[in-house]
Amino acid sequence: MRPVSLIFEKPLAFVWRDIIEDTSYKLSFFMQFVSIFISTAMFYFFSRLLGDTGVSYLKPYGGDYFSFVLIGIAFYSYLGVSMKSLSETIREGQMLGTLEALLVTQTEIPTIIVSSSLYSFIWASFKVAVYLLLGIYAFGVDIGNANLVGAAVVLMLTIISFGSLGIVSASFVMVLKRGDPVSWIFSSVSGLLGGLYYPVSVLPDWLQSLSYLLPVTYALEGMRMAVLKGHSVSELLPNILALTVFSLILLPLSILIFRYAVRKAKKDGSLTQY
Amino acid sequence: MSYIVETVNLSKKFPVLKGYRDIIFHPFRKKEITALHDINIQVKEGDIFGLLGPNGAGKTTLIKILCTLVLPSAGSAYVKGFNVTLDDKSIRRVIGYVISEERSFYWRLSGRQNLKFFAKLNNIPGGESDRRIERLLDFLDLSKDGHRMFKDYSTGMRQKLAIARGLLTDPAILFMDEPSSGLDPVSAHNLKQLVKEKLAGEKKKTVIFATHNLGDAEELCSSIAIIRSGEVGFAGKIEDVKLQFRETKKYMMKLRSPETGPAGKIRNMPQVKRIMPLSNGSSGLTEIEIETGQEDSRIQGFVREIVDMGGEIFSVYEIEPTLEDLFSKIVSTK
């Protein structure tokens, strides 16, 4: 059996590679921090404009729009990363020519794809932390009651279910190269129905029913309840259960689809074409 | 006899991208193009084996199948006894693939960092990978440039780094796809020396490389396969290609013509292809190029004729045809 340190060696090699590459573009690296500050400030002023408007809709989350939207944009970035980074890893590798070099190594394709996106997840987590710290210290958001265990469980299930969708999206890119419908549907529909900028309760009933078919709805709802209201794990159970079901269905399904996509690309000889 | 690489009736068809018209009117019709058809080659351990052919012949497709990047449509291929379709993991443990595409590296990482990254993906533990990387950089004269970003490397250095990456796992078989493309003549020469003396000579690797540079193949390879339009036109030793495909023999003859003027009457003989006067020409000393049939009796007859005409022959020697002389004949032969 391989020692534990060796299991992490390959994913860490990818993270190390991406850190070197990312930090070598110094201005871009710096600008990412600036944009976090700008978007946070923008939503802060937007919430001041709104004032008490719509407070009834926000009551379950503490009544403050800024806190509501801050958690939304912070954790929604995980969906963005899942939908983009996995498929972009493949697309970039195909276009740059690095994918071929990776595929002849003694590393399995799923490890390559997942490890390649690891840095994006770490970076997303770092951005979430910066969003929260800015919210707390610069704009006075109160998360003193946060239930960190509950938030961690929701986060873990969120990453699994979003990541699974990302793997399906990557499968489409593997075969179709461009025009991945999964990413397009989930990114746009989740933004509209998932409760990112406004609570799901403002939607008409029929759209609310549709929103409950999306994992993002449960992820954001659960995260807000855990962070803003301090709900316990048992109180978060409906969201946790829903995310568990999504994870149990999507993860094996995505692996099957991905295997099929790789085999098809190898048959078509298009594994490294773009 | 067992071979380190062997293909048996290996074929590959690729689907052709359909246009809008076909998608609408013939949505279920399959369009395919044959890239390889019934390829049978055998490579012995320790050989430098050349895959030759014009652009688009199927050389790269064959290499990609052997490196497990593309699945064959029919037939089978074995690399060190492992089947490419069923045992790709085992194959990746015994091969190195030198990808000439310079974009296959990370440009903002140094040469050393690139190698370290690929060493990790090949399960080479930390300390051992450091040792191997230093040995390889030293072996390829890249030690002093190992710390520089890949983007600052010259084409020759990039090619060397690609070879270093291919050798990281100390593979039994090294695949190289057009290794000298884009290299200046000096770098190309150095690369050939490296393959012949260091990889095959010192390290006893089996090297399989695709090229359309016939000079490279002739200089390096012990055996070759010439691929034309997806089919093997010839497979075997270079000497055998020459025996099989040469229809005529060429000779150079140095003589003094009995008549006035260089070569005199001889110039009208059908076997004479070229006449080159030696010194100022007044001495009548001439060198002529002769082309005859395959049989030895033909040149003997020609010599006799010259002597009978009063010619004074100083030397006659046969010119070996180059692979280049025969190549177009092989690729156009049905």
Side-chain angles (χ1 to χ4, degrees):
Chain A
M1 207 171 131
R2 282 161 68 84
V4 177
S5 61
L6 283 182
I7 295 171
F8 293 109
E9 217 166 7
K10 286 182 183 178
L12 285 176
F14 279 93
V15 173
W16 170 79
R17 174 203 70 183
D18 292 336
I19 288 174
I20 295 174
E21 285 215 305
D22 211 13
T23 52
S24 75
Y25 296 100
K26 295 175 183 68
L27 182 64
S28 151
F29 191 67
F30 171 72
M31 278 164 58
Q32 292 183 67
F33 286 98
V34 177
S35 61
I36 293 175
F37 181 80
I38 290 174
S39 65
T40 310
M42 198 173 74
F43 280 107
Y44 173 72
F45 294 120
F46 189 60
S47 68
R48 284 184 63 180
L49 171 76
L50 283 178
D52 289 340
T53 317
V55 78
S56 59
Y57 287 112
L58 296 169
K59 214 166 188 174
Y61 310 99
D64 172 34
Y65 180 70
F66 181 61
S67 311
F68 173 88
V69 81
L70 186 72
I71 302 294
I73 53 171
F75 287 92
Y76 189 76
S77 59
Y78 282 110
L79 179 68
V81 167
S82 308
M83 298 308 313
K84 273 191 185 161
S85 72
L86 290 159
S87 51
E88 270 177 5
T89 296
I90 291 175
R91 181 101 185 110
E92 208 176 273
Q94 286 170 333
M95 292 186 73
L96 294 182
T98 47
L99 190 60
E100 198 166 66
L102 294 173
L103 294 179
V104 287
T105 64
Q106 294 169 38
T107 301
E108 291 300 302
I109 298 178
T111 310
I112 292 172
I113 304 304
V114 173
S115 303
S116 294
S117 62
L118 206 57
Y119 174 73
S120 304
F121 278 103
I122 293 172
W123 182 237
S125 304
F126 181 68
K127 283 207 291 194
V128 168
V130 174
Y131 270 120
L132 293 180
L133 289 173
L134 263 179
I136 295 164
Y137 293 107
F139 301 103
V141 170
D142 180 15
I143 59 165
N145 290 330
N147 171 11
L148 295 181
V149 176
V153 173
V154 172
L155 180 62
M156 192 187 72
L157 292 167
T158 301
I159 290 176
I160 295 173
S161 45
F162 286 3
S164 306
L165 287 172
I167 292 172
V168 178
S169 159
S171 311
F172 274 94
V173 170
M174 181 79 82
V175 176
L176 298 176
K177 317 300 168 196
R178 278 168 77 170
D180 148 38
V182 178
S183 171
W184 182 77
I185 291 170
F186 274 91
S187 300
S188 49
V189 173
S190 296
L192 179 73
L193 304 178
L196 169 60
Y197 300 111
Y198 40 79
V200 172
S201 53
V202 304
L203 297 169
D205 288 347
W206 66 277
L207 277 182
Q208 277 188 45
S209 315
L210 282 180
S211 79
Y212 289 113
L213 296 174
L214 302 168
V216 67
T217 310
Y218 302 96
L220 293 182
E221 175 87 1
M223 197 53 79
R224 283 177 178 130
M225 290 306 181
V227 175
L228 299 176
K229 300 286 285 178
H231 277 194
S232 65
V233 173
S234 59
E235 286 172 299
L236 294 169
L237 218 50
N239 293 312
I240 289 175
L241 274 177
L243 287 170
T244 307
V245 171
F246 276 116
S247 301
L248 287 175
I249 295 170
L250 289 174
L251 188 61
L253 187 69
S254 66
I255 291 169
L256 277 179
I257 292 173
F258 191 74
R259 283 206 178 130
Y260 171 78
V262 171
R263 195 160 176 85
K264 175 151 177 55
K266 275 191 169 186
K267 269 173 90 174
D268 294 351
S270 66
L271 202 56
T272 55
Q273 290 174 356
Y274 56 90
Chain B
M1 182 183 189
S2 68
Y3 297 98
I4 195 157
V5 173
E6 186 173 16
T7 68
V8 183
N9 299 332
L10 189 77
S11 297
K12 180 68 201 172
K13 286 179 177 177
F14 288 122
V16 176
L17 208 60
K18 286 202 266 189
Y20 288 110
R21 179 191 284 268
D22 281 336
I23 291 172
I24 294 164
F25 295 110
H26 311 288
F28 303 108
R29 189 185 289 171
K30 229 174 167 181
K31 268 188 167 178
E32 286 181 324
I33 186 165
T34 302
L36 294 173
H37 180 68
D38 277 348
I39 299 286
N40 291 292
I41 57 164
Q42 291 94 26
V43 181
K44 281 189 276 180
E45 192 161 0
D47 260 6
I48 303 182
F49 189 90
L51 283 171
L52 280 83
N55 290 333
K59 308 181 294 284
T60 300
T61 301
L62 180 54
I63 284 199
K64 285 190 176 178
I65 289 176
L66 296 173
C67 289
T68 75
L69 288 168
V70 172
L71 284 169
S73 307
S76 43
Y78 302 90
V79 176
K80 220 166 183 252
F82 301 115
N83 187 312
V84 291
T85 314
L86 306 172
D87 215 346
D88 55 336
K89 281 183 211 168
S90 305
I91 289 177
R92 288 201 296 270
R93 275 199 282 271
V94 297
I95 63 162
Y97 182 23
V98 178
I99 305 168
S100 304
E101 178 53 68
E102 57 186 21
R103 310 282 320 174
S104 68
F105 281 99
Y106 298 98
W107 283 44
R108 318 256 325 170
L109 266 62
S110 70
R112 199 174 265 113
Q113 285 170 334
N114 265 293
L115 292 182
K116 184 129 182 110
F117 173 70
F118 284 101
K120 283 262 193 293
L121 300 197
N122 280 308
N123 301 327
I124 306 168
E128 175 59 22
S129 85
D130 288 343
R131 275 191 294 278
R132 279 195 203 182
I133 289 166
E134 290 317 314
R135 267 205 307 266
L136 284 170
L137 290 174
D138 190 44
F139 178 67
L140 294 159
D141 293 326
L142 280 176
S143 284
K144 64 177 183 2
D145 299 299
H147 66 284
R148 286 170 62 191
M149 275 195 194
F150 182 78
K151 70 183 178 70
D152 298 327
Y153 276 22
S154 68
T155 310
M157 287 160 77
R158 287 172 186 172
Q159 194 61 42
K160 280 184 181 177
L161 199 72
I163 295 174
R165 180 174 59 187
L167 288 171
L168 269 174
T169 54
D170 196 19
I173 310 156
L174 196 66
F175 289 95
M176 303 172 100
D177 194 1
E178 305 283 0
S180 59
S181 67
L183 292 184
D184 61 69
V186 177
S187 304
H189 172 77
N190 291 343
L191 179 77
K192 278 184 272 184
Q193 292 296 106
L194 179 95
V195 172
K196 197 166 190 169
E197 288 169 15
K198 292 194 168 181
L199 300 184
E202 273 177 43
K203 290 188 175 277
K204 309 286 178 213
K205 304 284 176 206
T206 303
V207 181
I208 298 176
F209 76 96
T211 184
H212 53 241
N213 188 324
L214 305 174
D216 284 0
E218 190 149 25
E219 212 173 309
L220 290 174
C221 298
S222 29
S223 308
I224 56 166
I226 298 177
I227 300 179
R228 47 166 199 214
S229 310
E231 294 183 18
V232 174
F234 172 85
K237 293 189 177 304
I238 291 185
E239 305 88 78
D240 297 337
V241 183
K242 292 175 179 174
L243 278 178
Q244 189 175 326
F245 287 91
R246 131 175 123 166
E247 287 164 354
T248 57
K249 281 187 174 181
K250 277 185 184 169
Y251 299 90
M252 289 303 279
M253 179 185 279
K254 196 193 275 184
L255 78 160
R256 181 175 288 128
S257 168
E259 305 162 53
T260 49
K265 238 192 219 175
I266 295 169
R267 74 164 62 245
N268 298 322
M269 296 173 81
Q271 299 94 326
V272 175
K273 296 295 162 200
R274 212 155 41 116
I275 296 178
M276 292 156 286
L278 295 172
S279 67
N280 60 8
S282 61
S283 62
L285 207 59
T286 309
E287 197 163 45
I288 58 174
E289 189 183 309
I290 307 151
E291 196 173 287
T292 69
Q294 284 276 38
E295 309 83 30
D296 288 340
S297 59
R298 299 279 183 96
I299 186 66
Q300 288 163 4
F302 183 80
V303 167
R304 219 172 293 126
E305 250 182 279
I306 300 279
V307 172
D308 289 347
M309 283 162 62
E312 195 182 349
I313 297 171
F314 293 93
S315 63
V316 183
Y317 59 92
E318 190 183 340
I319 311 167
E320 274 289 307
T322 62
L323 201 50
E324 204 156 348
D325 294 332
L326 303 172
F327 187 73
S328 52
K329 192 175 286 172
I330 300 167
V331 292
S332 60
T333 303
K334 272 284 164 198

